[in-house]
Amino acid sequence: MPKLSEYNKKRDFKKTAEPKGKVKKGGKELHFVVQKHDASRLHYDFRLEIDGVLVSWAVPKGPIADTSVKRLAMHVEDHPMDYIDFEGTIPKGQYGGGTVMVWDTGTYLAEGSDDVEESEKMLRKMHEEGNIKVVMKGKKLKGSYHLVHMHGKDQEWLLMKGKDDYADKKDFDQTSVLTGRTLEEIEEDKKSDVWNSNKNDKSKSKRATPKKAGTDADVESIDAPVAFTPDDVANAKQLKDFPIEWLPQLATLTDEVFDSKEWAYEIKYDGYRAIIQVNKGKVNLVSRNGISFNKKYAPLVKAFEAITNDVVLDGEIVVEDEKGISHFQWLQYFAENPNRGKLKCYVFDILYFNGFDLTSLGLVQRKKILEALLPQSDEIIYSGHTIGNGSKAIKQVQKNGGEGLIAKKLTSKYYVNKRSKDWLKIKVSKEQEMVIGGFTDPQGSRTAFGSLLLGYYEDGKLVYSGKVGTGFNEESLKDMHEKLLKLEQKTSPFSVKPKERGIHFIKPELVAQIKYSEWTETNSLRHPVFIALRNDKDPKKVVREVASSTEKIVPEEKTKKAVKKNTKEKSAVDTTEKPKAEPKKAVTKKPATKKPASKAVAKKGWDHSKAEVTHPDKIFWPKEGYTKGDVINYYDEMAQWIMPYIKDRPQSMRRTPNGIDKDGFFQKNVAGSAPDWAQTEKIHSDSTKEDIEYLICNDKETLIYMANRGCIEINPWSSRIGTLDNPDYIIFDLDPNQASIKDLVTTAKKVKEILDSLGINGYLKTSGGKGLHVFIPILPKYTYDQSRDFSHIISQAVNSALPKITSLERMPKKRIGKVYLDFLQNGKGKTMACAYSLRPREGATASTPLEWDELNDKNFDLKNYNIKTLPERVKEKGDLWANFFNDAVDLKALLDKLS
């Protein structure tokens, strides 16, 4: 149980304003904070929310992102949750007297879990066992971190970075994530020797202490963190009246990213563009069509009331999740659900200030003025920029799951209500506004409507561009249907009537934002996905957006040769697991040691008009010479054997499109990228609070499609559609960590021995790597927690019987030479290579069902089961797991036997 008595005992609350210790009930997320603390010695306080308090460690040298470095972490007293956003000064003479900075903060979960309640249970046990593993979602600390209690010590722990995509040897920024201040600036800002919390100081700048700017005339009233002078507005034109009619400048879509020192690169936000008018203290938020946002986004109106000058600003209104990813649909329905995400406005330009028209000034001058006077808060953020390196900027946007970049010429003026080539849009994914001209009747189990009929205007006529039926849930289907029925009409609004069944036409008054992969030769959108309605767009102004050539806009002699942007759909990849963007390199084909590269893919039993094959000669295994075509041929031949183990199961696609020597990545969300004919299923994710559209592989065409996308291995869920919360098998993953084959075999036999004693038929297979798997089929009536508990019980029994050669220790360094009994593989959404799946490993090995007697073979070698041997093996032995699902056991009966 968490206790705050020690915390309270150490503090005199008459002298310090630190909060008294009170345990608070947990919310919907688990939070953490790292505070940089300059007390008697400089250190960092690493605090994790566990059971309503901040469990704390003092880390003298601070957290790192380098996996090769360990940091000493001294376990100290628990702190109250109210401590999480304190920044300022503790009085001298008081416990911990000195300056405190909020160095980083965010949310986290236990490693291996995407559920808060489950994480809390795991964390209690991890803390008790002295081995805490978490996944952090901070502004600085991201990914896996481990805290391990040093054996035989009292308070000494070690803080380490886990190996993942966020591991790096970079140095962290040493300013506050709340206010942007250094420790010295926080010390200078202290007001008497008491704790100074920023909790209620929402208007404080995030960059520096406010200072009066030394300016004259109408500029002298600025209270700004970055001073500017009269020279900055010397060329500005003075206006008599406040400009209430100004609308934003628009950018031109371009076809590729570029590098130029004459251009600035800003993040392109996925929200509503807004002009912010502050006139005599009154705030008005105006859409790009002149519609007021005040009622819909009232919290922003209140936030902008902190501005005491008359200004016109340009920005983007968004709603972000805890990862900082914006969601347009959340923004659209913010008024109905204001607690879903964080409402913000990113401000990137200033057009008017206290009687001066600033639009004739250059971009850099305008942004300098903007940064100086903008009172930043949780809701209002200054949108910064980088100069020169667009290629690097777009890669970072891709990694963070962003929409794209806006490139702006440094010297550019602001063109009110015009589209200019001084501002360029560079998108990561392709999107297009479309006018809705009708809808079709629903089919099968679908409700409300089937698809929306889309179009765009060309020479004043509405041109049909296809239909979209994905991107909806039951709620949005119903809401959209109500809007459609109110606009229904008998005549077609399209210039050429679409040839679709069950059509209903509507007045072309609704505009939809659509994500797609490409335009077809017939001017239709390929793989369209509905994102949201745009009530800020005029339907008559919706035209087909064609990307202008970057080379024609930005002279080549002024740019470096940048890597051409890959505009294929990126949002199909889960934001917690993005691939690292790499420049294209020529593939060096090494001499094949076992076989030559395939020349073609055998045309066997699948519909090639659906599952197309591209680049079959691409080398996937450089040493062996195996190709992508070999993978496709393998799955074509093995489909009848593998399909029973992947049918009706969501697929977490592990894609290795550049071969086994390059980093692969997992793709869960296939919205907008899966073929129209492929089956998909929307599943709600507790971690992202969004629906993820998973691919369901129920036919050979889908299997070949996955292989063509670079899926060397196949990773299905342990549960099926209809019973997603109830797995139908339990996994025992026997993972050798430099253990011998003899010990691995001994461990597997011990698992069998214990299962046999319970009357359970355990099914054996190779992992396709260095280990073995034992699966137990169960009735899909029980939870993942129950399946994991059973696996844990059996694993403990195996460990007790074989303590010298097995381990339940999760940290690899503590189990070198032992077989790890990994029971944690039993979890919702966790995946394991299925029976007969290839693996992206040396030798093109495959996860192969075995007979238990095969473990007695003195020549047993895991490498013997591979892409070449398996097709012949199944012809000889058949499917050794053919009775797998017929042997499903009742888990409750098993647990009763063990109780």
Side-chain angles (χ1 to χ4, degrees):
M1 288 291 293
K3 295 181 180 179
L4 293 171
S5 56
E6 185 179 354
Y7 167 87
N8 288 328
K9 188 189 304 181
K10 290 181 176 181
R11 288 159 177 82
D12 183 349
F13 295 105
K14 293 180 180 178
K15 296 181 179 180
T16 177
E18 294 171 83
K20 290 184 179 180
K22 293 181 181 179
V23 177
K24 286 192 173 183
K25 290 184 179 181
K28 296 181 180 179
E29 296 176 311
L30 294 174
H31 295 83
F32 80 90
V33 66
V34 179
Q35 288 161 318
K36 190 173 181 179
H37 191 174
D38 190 7
S40 55
R41 290 185 181 179
L42 180 66
H43 65 278
Y44 296 74
D45 293 310
F46 189 97
R47 312 189 196 278
L48 299 176
E49 176 186 352
I50 302 177
D51 284 333
V53 299
L54 294 171
V55 180
S56 302
W57 292 261
V59 185
K61 293 186 178 180
I64 30 67
D66 187 345
T67 58
S68 65
V69 178
K70 299 181 181 67
R71 295 294 202 215
L72 176 66
M74 301 296 292
H75 209 325
V76 296
E77 76 275 13
D78 296 342
H79 280 52
M81 289 301 300
D82 286 342
Y83 219 91
I84 205 162
D85 59 356
F86 280 171
E87 180 173 285
T89 304
I90 302 174
K92 291 179 181 179
Q94 291 298 299
Y95 180 78
T99 306
V100 177
M101 168 203 293
V102 178
W103 185 83
D104 193 25
T105 189
T107 61
Y108 81 101
L109 290 170
E111 194 169 279
S113 172
D114 61 359
D115 178 76
V116 171
E117 187 175 345
E118 180 188 45
S119 287
E120 288 179 315
K121 293 179 182 178
M122 293 172 66
L123 284 162
R124 292 187 199 108
K125 189 170 183 181
M126 288 179 180
H127 189 209
E128 182 180 337
E129 293 176 350
N131 188 2
I132 296 175
K133 294 188 177 183
V134 296
V135 177
M136 311 190 76
K137 301 173 185 176
K139 295 182 179 179
K140 297 178 184 178
L141 301 185
K142 298 180 185 295
S144 173
Y145 277 86
H146 303 167
L147 275 161
V148 182
H149 194 186
M150 296 172 67
H151 183 68
K153 302 291 184 180
D154 183 16
Q155 295 176 289
E156 290 92 337
W157 292 53
L158 291 176
L159 174 65
M160 294 166 283
K161 178 74 183 81
K163 292 182 179 180
D164 56 24
D165 289 344
Y166 297 104
D168 201 345
K169 295 186 178 180
K170 67 182 180 183
D171 293 326
F172 288 112
D173 171 58
Q174 292 301 318
T175 58
S176 165
V177 295
L178 290 187
T179 64
R181 298 180 296 175
T182 64
L183 275 173
E184 292 75 16
E185 288 171 334
I186 296 170
E187 170 67 19
E188 290 173 5
D189 284 352
K190 69 180 179 180
K191 297 178 181 179
S192 75
D193 289 330
V194 295
W195 185 280
N196 179 24
S197 170
N198 287 294
K199 202 168 188 178
N200 298 317
D201 191 7
K202 296 297 183 184
S203 65
K204 201 171 187 70
S205 165
K206 293 190 177 183
R207 275 170 175 70
T209 308
K211 299 176 182 177
K212 286 284 184 180
T215 58
D216 58 5
D218 292 73
V219 187
E220 64 184 6
S221 62
I222 294 179
D223 187 19
V226 181
F228 63 91
T229 70
D231 291 338
D232 291 312
V233 292
N235 296 322
K237 177 182 173 184
Q238 201 156 8
L239 297 180
K240 182 178 180 181
D241 299 318
F242 186 89
I244 59 174
E245 302 296 331
W246 285 1
L247 296 177
Q249 175 176 337
L250 304 178
T252 299
L253 180 67
T254 188
D255 58 357
E256 64 179 327
V257 72
F258 60 94
D259 298 333
S260 174
K261 293 181 180 179
E262 296 182 7
W263 290 72
Y265 301 90
E266 299 175 355
I267 293 173
K268 185 181 188 301
Y269 301 101
D270 186 15
Y272 280 140
R273 188 76 174 279
I275 289 293
I276 302 101
Q277 301 171 350
V278 183
N279 185 17
K280 297 179 181 179
K282 183 179 179 181
V283 177
N284 192 23
L285 307 180
V286 183
S287 78
R288 57 186 288 180
N289 281 339
I291 301 170
S292 177
F293 281 140
N294 283 21
K295 186 176 180 180
K296 194 168 187 177
Y297 305 119
L300 288 181
V301 174
K302 187 172 182 180
F304 277 108
E305 287 174 355
I307 298 178
T308 57
N309 301 283
D310 288 352
V311 296
V312 176
L313 309 175
D314 190 359
E316 189 97 358
I317 300 173
V318 302
V319 171
E320 293 180 345
D321 61 22
E322 69 277 3
K323 296 179 182 178
I325 304 298
S326 58
H327 299 268
F328 189 81
Q329 286 185 327
W330 294 9
L331 175 67
Q332 188 181 29
Y333 294 101
F334 179 79
E336 293 82 1
N337 193 352
N339 295 320
R340 191 180 188 187
K342 179 66 179 176
L343 181 68
K344 298 180 179 180
C345 184
Y346 287 91
V347 183
F348 41 76
D349 216 324
I350 181 168
L351 289 61
Y352 173 88
F353 169 71
N354 283 354
F356 286 95
D357 175 0
L358 306 183
T359 59
S360 62
L361 305 181
L363 175 72
V364 176
Q365 284 178 286
R366 297 197 308 274
K367 295 202 73 170
K368 180 180 178 182
I369 296 169
L370 173 65
E371 186 177 9
L373 66 86
L374 189 68
Q376 296 187 85
S377 63
D378 289 344
E379 294 85 8
I380 303 173
I381 300 100
Y382 168 77
S383 178
H385 61 272
T386 60
I387 295 176
N389 198 333
S391 302
K392 183 178 179 180
I394 199 73
K395 287 178 182 178
Q396 188 62 44
V397 168
Q398 289 174 335
K399 183 178 180 181
N400 294 339
E403 186 183 1
L405 294 176
I406 299 292
K408 298 180 179 180
K409 191 175 289 186
L410 293 177
T411 57
S412 62
K413 299 177 181 180
Y414 192 100
Y415 299 97
V416 173
N417 201 21
K418 292 182 180 179
R419 193 176 298 276
S420 164
K421 290 186 178 180
D422 284 348
W423 287 14
L424 303 176
K425 287 186 288 188
I426 307 168
K427 292 188 177 183
V428 171
S429 61
K430 294 180 180 179
E431 293 184 12
Q432 167 77 52
E433 295 154 13
M434 282 286 167
V435 178
I436 303 173
F439 60 96
T440 62
D441 289 329
Q443 300 292 324
S445 60
R446 180 81 170 230
T447 60
F449 63 90
S451 298
L452 301 178
L453 307 181
L454 306 175
Y456 59 89
Y457 279 96
E458 185 175 271
D459 298 328
K461 297 179 179 180
L462 186 62
V463 179
Y464 180 60
S465 59
K467 57 184 180 179
V468 60
T470 59
F472 303 96
N473 55 30
E474 286 300 319
E475 183 182 353
S476 59
L477 274 172
K478 182 180 178 181
D479 181 59
M480 176 66 76
H481 194 221
E482 290 175 356
K483 290 181 170 65
L484 296 171
L485 292 176
K486 292 177 182 178
L487 297 172
E488 194 168 359
Q489 64 180 24
K490 293 183 179 180
T491 57
S492 170
F494 299 102
S495 57
V496 177
K497 185 178 179 180
K499 296 179 181 179
E500 303 286 350
R501 293 182 179 179
I503 284 184
H504 301 262
F505 295 113
I506 68 168
K507 297 175 183 178
E509 297 178 6
L510 300 177
V511 177
Q513 190 77 16
I514 304 295
K515 187 163 52 181
Y516 67 101
S517 61
E518 62 183 351
W519 284 91
T520 68
E521 293 180 358
T522 58
N523 290 330
S524 293
L525 296 179
R526 183 172 174 79
H527 303 145
V529 178
F530 174 82
I531 300 176
L533 287 178
R534 302 293 309 228
N535 55 20
D536 61 331
K537 303 293 175 74
D538 181 353
K540 292 290 184 182
K541 294 183 179 179
V542 173
V543 296
R544 177 174 173 177
E545 218 172 358
V546 180
S548 299
S549 169
T550 298
E551 292 183 3
K552 293 181 180 180
I553 300 172
V554 186
E556 188 174 354
E557 64 272 12
K558 292 185 179 181
T559 67
K560 298 180 194 174
K561 195 68 177 176
V563 179
K564 191 167 185 177
K565 180 171 74 71
N566 177 8
T567 57
K568 289 186 177 180
E569 180 60 57
K570 296 292 180 184
S571 63
V573 181
D574 193 330
T575 61
T576 64
E577 299 171 344
K578 298 288 185 216
K580 292 183 178 179
E582 293 184 358
K584 294 180 180 178
K585 296 180 180 179
V587 176
T588 303
K589 294 187 178 181
K590 299 181 181 180
T593 56
K594 292 190 177 181
K595 67 181 287 303
S598 297
K599 297 299 180 186
V601 172
K603 290 185 178 293
K604 296 187 180 178
W606 84 81
D607 187 343
H608 288 255
S609 67
K610 288 184 176 180
E612 300 174 0
V613 174
T614 57
H615 310 296
D617 290 334
K618 191 172 186 178
I619 300 291
F620 272 10
W621 283 268
K623 183 178 178 181
E624 294 84 0
Y626 296 135
T627 65
K628 179 180 177 181
D630 291 320
V631 174
I632 292 170
N633 284 333
Y634 173 86
Y635 284 120
D636 175 31
E637 190 168 1
M638 296 293 293
Q640 63 174 311
W641 310 105
I642 196 172
M643 287 305 300
Y645 307 106
I646 61 178
K647 186 176 175 59
D648 294 330
R649 300 178 190 273
Q651 296 291 328
S652 291
M653 295 199 298
R654 183 185 178 188
R655 296 174 55 192
T656 317
N658 296 312
I660 69 168
D661 288 349
K662 301 293 184 182
D663 290 336
F665 58 93
F666 275 95
Q667 178 181 352
K668 297 179 182 179
N669 196 342
V670 297
S673 64
D676 295 337
W677 49 264
Q679 183 176 343
T680 61
E681 183 76 13
K682 285 188 178 180
I683 302 172
H684 187 73
S685 169
D686 291 333
S687 60
T688 64
K689 297 179 176 60
E690 282 192 314
D691 289 340
I692 294 177
E693 191 167 341
Y694 283 88
L695 185 68
I696 309 298
C697 185
N698 281 353
D699 51 44
K700 185 187 283 190
E701 284 77 13
T702 306
L703 182 61
I704 299 302
Y705 164 78
M706 292 169 66
N708 191 58
R709 298 284 283 172
C711 295
I712 292 174
E713 71 180 32
I714 309 299
N715 292 276
W717 279 31
S718 303
S719 55
R720 300 176 188 263
I721 298 171
T723 54
L724 285 174
D725 293 324
N726 310 111
D728 56 6
Y729 53 76
I730 296 174
I731 301 168
F732 295 90
D733 181 12
L734 311 183
D735 180 15
N737 185 12
Q738 301 178 33
S740 66
I741 286 289
K742 179 182 177 181
D743 288 347
L744 179 63
V745 169
T746 300
T747 303
K749 288 182 176 179
K750 179 57 67 174
V751 173
K752 183 179 189 302
E753 178 186 323
I754 295 173
L755 294 179
D756 285 347
S757 71
L758 296 170
I760 304 170
N761 187 11
Y763 283 80
L764 175 69
K765 70 182 179 75
T766 68
S767 68
K770 297 179 180 180
L772 292 170
H773 294 160
V774 180
F775 279 37
I776 301 173
I778 62 173
L779 296 175
K781 296 163 49 178
Y782 304 98
T783 66
Y784 274 100
D785 284 347
Q786 290 170 314
S787 71
R788 182 169 55 243
D789 289 344
F790 181 80
S791 180
H792 191 189
I793 291 169
I794 301 300
S795 297
Q796 287 175 320
V798 174
N799 182 233
S800 296
L802 302 173
K804 293 184 179 180
I805 67 171
T806 66
S807 176
L808 294 169
E809 170 60 53
R810 295 187 69 192
M811 185 171 293
K813 290 184 179 180
K814 288 193 174 183
R815 52 178 164 84
I816 294 175
K818 292 187 175 184
V819 178
Y820 176 41
L821 306 169
D822 189 0
F823 62 90
L824 293 174
Q825 290 296 343
N826 298 276
K828 185 177 180 180
K830 283 185 171 292
T831 57
M832 180 76 69
C834 67
Y836 304 110
S837 169
L838 293 174
R839 302 296 302 279
R841 303 288 184 90
E842 184 178 339
T845 49
S847 186
T848 307
L850 300 175
E851 295 173 306
W852 282 100
D853 290 346
E854 291 184 83
L855 293 184
N856 293 322
D857 189 344
K858 293 181 180 180
N859 297 319
F860 180 68
D861 187 346
L862 294 167
K863 292 183 180 179
N864 289 338
Y865 308 97
N866 56 55
I867 193 171
K868 295 293 291 180
T869 63
L870 247 64
E872 291 302 318
R873 177 182 168 87
V874 295
K875 289 176 184 177
E876 177 188 344
K877 292 181 175 290
D879 183 8
L880 298 179
W881 282 24
N883 291 321
F884 183 81
F885 295 108
N886 295 329
D887 286 345
V889 296
D890 191 316
L891 186 57
K892 184 178 184 302
L894 294 180
L895 292 172
D896 289 343
K897 285 185 180 181
L898 295 172
S899 61

